[in-house]
């Protein structure tokens, strides 16, 4: 049996604080996606801006889930566009079915 020297991976050499920061940013990306998706149906006036903020912070912190963060950002913007469309249609600050 022969032992070979291996180089440590980037994840193994990262500090615990850096791993925690990336994990937090990943959680923010997922939360932005979920809030943006739910915001298309209910409470889009609140959930849209929260999804935009969370996705922006996740991207700024360097999340590994960039696609999910961009989807959360897009869905947050779509939440606000849906709100504006329904406000124009109903001439109210909220919308209902």
């Amino acid at each position: 049996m022969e032992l070979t020297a291996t180089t440590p991976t980037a994840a193994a050499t990262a500090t615990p604080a850096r791993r925690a920061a990336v994990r937090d940013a990943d959680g923010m990306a997922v939360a932005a996606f979920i809030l943006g998706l739910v915001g298309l149906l209910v409470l889009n006036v609140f959930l849209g801006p929260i999804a935009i903020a969370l996705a922006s912070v996740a991207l700024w912190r360097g999340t590994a889930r960039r696609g999910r963060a961009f989807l959360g950002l897009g869905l947050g913007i779509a939440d606000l566009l849906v709100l504006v469309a329904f406000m124009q249609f109903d001439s109210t600050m909220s919308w209902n079915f």
Side-chain angles (χ1 to χ4, degrees):
M1 177 152 75
E2 182 178 326
L3 295 176
T4 59
T6 59
T7 59
T9 62
T13 60
T15 63
R18 174 72 179 139
R19 278 185 262 150
V22 171
R23 188 174 59 239
D24 289 345
D26 290 347
M28 286 184 210
V30 172
F33 173 72
I34 292 171
L35 290 176
L37 196 59
V38 171
L40 287 174
L41 300 174
V42 294
L43 297 173
N44 47 6
V45 71
F46 298 112
L47 298 180
I50 292 171
I52 292 169
L54 283 174
S56 299
V57 171
L59 289 169
W60 183 71
R61 288 188 179 181
T63 182
R65 298 179 183 214
R66 293 183 56 83
R68 191 130 330 138
F70 280 122
L71 281 173
L73 185 65
L75 286 170
I77 293 169
D79 290 348
L80 297 179
L81 292 176
V82 166
L83 176 67
V84 168
F86 278 109
M87 283 173 44
Q88 291 295 320
F89 181 69
D90 286 342
S91 299
T92 62
M93 186 60 183
S94 64
W95 59 276
N96 52 19
F97 295 105

